[in-house]
Amino acid sequence: MTLSILWFILIAVLWIGYLTLEGFDFGVGMILKILGRDERERRATLAAIGPHWDGNEVWLLTAGGATFAAFPEWYSTLFSGAYIVLFIILLCLIVRVCAIEWRPKVNSQTWRDRWDWVHTVSAWLPSILWGVAFANLVQGMHIEVVQTSNGAVVPAAQVPADSLVPGAAHQITGGLLTMVTPFTLLGGAVTCLLFLNHGALFVALKTTGDLSQRALRMSRRLAPAATAVTATWALWAQLAYSGSALSWIPLVIAAAGLVSSLLMGRTGNEGRAFALHFVGIAFAVVFIFAAMAPNVMRSSVDPAYSLTIQQAASADTTLLIMTVAAAVFVPGVLAYTVWSYKVFASRISVESINPDQGGLHPTLVRDSAQPEAHFGY
């Protein structure tokens, strides 16, 4: 039981890493066409996340892999029941990679503009859907325990609290529409606004001149709405769905971080504003996991159908091996992450960017007729 709780906490840490770091990547993509007035500013905006965005995605892969290994029942229940939502998120992440990597390949403004729009859309959708997904974990989903042989629902009175039912599995039986409620939609608005503000603060921190100032002004407009919507959702979650008084602690810390970030942004200190906003998002994730506990997936049908930490966990031997591996490798990963941000800590100057440089001229793009001639082979 101690190891399963430890891995529940470690998975929360992995999601903190993903949402705090990838959050500003999504935010930058969301404001790319709004903030960047010309090609130079859009390149500077993308350059701000250029060294980091692909590394930030590793946190998601690690969180998914750790869930699969440490809590296979959680993984199977969530990924099979919310398959469509998770598929859309995955598709957006793949398309976003194409948009970032292919944008500079052709020296054509039309080409770049099209990929910028693809990037923007593929940033907005996951930013909303992640909030909807986590709100469902807090609210509870239409989960029942179903016999795998015939699909019959096991009566709630026959489901033990500390183990799985032999020959049965937890399943999301309500369909996709049961996941769409006012509470989950508000959760989508929370992550959307937080990521928007996170991205604006990151651009303000990483660029110079007018672009940095406009990003900071954008954050000043976004921060009150993001803080108010997050506070509304968190209080709703705590009062209606959280079964633990301890979840008030991360809720208060998250609120303090977001409010302090708002105040720092108004004083023009974008560095402290970003750091405090980082803390606010981190403790919002802590609040979500604290509100979920002791369940990994709460059932809205009957509490007896909820999937608990103990029920979902792998064998102690598996968890022990994972713990040893994490103790060996995680410090190195964290050290490398910190080092990479330190190396690329300098600000980006819009004036240093040549908008006419980079990529193949459209007339040199390979066609099916003479590929060797076009690429100079």
Side-chain angles (χ1 to χ4, degrees):
M1 188 63 183
T2 302
L3 287 175
S4 60
I5 294 174
L6 173 63
W7 273 98
F8 181 75
I9 295 171
L10 290 176
I11 288 173
V13 171
L14 292 172
W15 278 108
I16 289 172
Y18 178 69
L19 295 175
T20 52
L21 297 175
E22 187 80 327
F24 65 72
D25 291 338
F26 285 134
V28 168
M30 294 161 78
I31 64 176
L32 178 62
K33 298 290 288 185
I34 302 171
L35 187 63
R37 292 177 175 175
D38 55 29
E39 175 60 17
R40 294 167 67 184
E41 291 189 347
R42 284 191 284 273
R43 283 198 191 185
T45 302
L46 288 171
I49 64 171
H52 309 299
W53 66 268
D54 49 353
N56 294 340
E57 288 188 341
V58 174
W59 290 91
L60 175 62
L61 298 176
T62 310
T67 304
F68 173 78
F71 299 99
E73 191 74 12
W74 183 8
Y75 183 93
S76 62
T77 303
L78 178 61
F79 277 70
S80 60
Y83 179 82
I84 295 177
V85 174
L86 296 173
F87 175 79
I88 293 173
I89 292 175
L90 178 61
L91 181 62
C92 287
L93 294 178
I94 295 172
V95 170
R96 189 181 64 136
V97 173
C98 297
I100 295 174
E101 294 288 352
W102 293 356
R103 182 189 193 276
K105 300 304 182 185
V106 178
N107 195 352
S108 164
Q109 195 57 49
T110 301
W111 170 272
R112 298 188 192 109
D113 287 341
R114 288 173 178 172
W115 282 116
D116 286 346
W117 279 115
V118 171
H119 186 179
T120 298
V121 173
S122 62
W124 275 89
L125 280 176
S127 297
I128 297 170
L129 292 177
W130 279 129
V132 173
F134 278 103
N136 267 285
L137 292 176
V138 174
Q139 172 188 261
M141 306 168 78
H142 199 283
I143 296 173
E144 295 175 291
V145 177
V146 178
Q147 292 286 353
T148 54
S149 59
N150 55 19
V153 177
V154 178
Q158 298 179 15
V159 178
D162 57 352
S163 62
L164 298 174
V165 177
H170 289 76
Q171 293 184 18
I172 300 175
T173 57
L176 186 62
L177 291 180
T178 62
M179 303 179 195
V180 181
T181 67
F183 179 78
T184 61
L185 291 176
L186 187 62
V190 167
T191 49
C192 179
L193 288 169
L194 286 178
F195 290 171
L196 275 170
N197 193 36
H198 211 40
L201 285 171
F202 190 72
V203 174
L205 180 64
K206 289 291 294 178
T207 59
T208 62
D210 183 59
L211 178 60
S212 176
Q213 292 303 310
R214 281 191 282 111
L216 187 57
R217 288 196 295 270
M218 178 181 285
S219 171
R220 289 170 182 165
R221 293 192 294 268
L222 288 168
T227 303
V229 172
T230 303
T232 302
W233 180 85
L235 286 173
W236 188 353
Q238 175 64 31
L239 297 175
Y241 301 112
S242 176
S244 172
L246 291 177
S247 54
W248 277 106
I249 298 174
L251 189 157
V252 172
I253 297 174
L258 295 178
V259 172
S260 300
S261 173
L262 187 157
L263 297 176
M264 285 295 104
R266 292 190 179 279
T267 65
N269 192 327
E270 63 268 21
R272 290 184 179 179
F274 179 79
L276 289 165
H277 200 263
F278 190 101
V279 170
I281 295 177
F283 277 92
V285 178
V286 175
F287 166 73
I288 289 171
F289 277 79
M292 289 165 52
N295 304 307
V296 293
M297 295 190 73
R298 181 179 289 122
S299 173
S300 60
V301 179
D302 191 303
Y305 290 135
S306 296
L307 183 62
T308 65
I309 295 174
Q310 188 173 358
Q311 288 173 323
S314 292
D316 286 345
T317 304
T318 301
L319 296 177
L320 180 59
I321 294 172
M322 291 177 63
T323 302
V324 173
V328 173
F329 294 110
V330 169
V333 173
L334 292 175
Y336 175 79
T337 301
V338 173
W339 175 80
S340 67
Y341 276 91
K342 183 178 180 179
V343 168
F344 295 102
S346 59
R347 291 178 181 256
I348 299 162
S349 172
V350 175
E351 288 72 22
S352 65
I353 296 174
N354 184 353
D356 299 320
Q357 191 176 31
L360 284 174
H361 191 277
T363 59
L364 297 179
V365 176
R366 173 163 47 179
D367 59 25
S368 58
Q370 294 179 315
E372 294 84 1
H374 291 314
F375 274 97
Y377 292 151

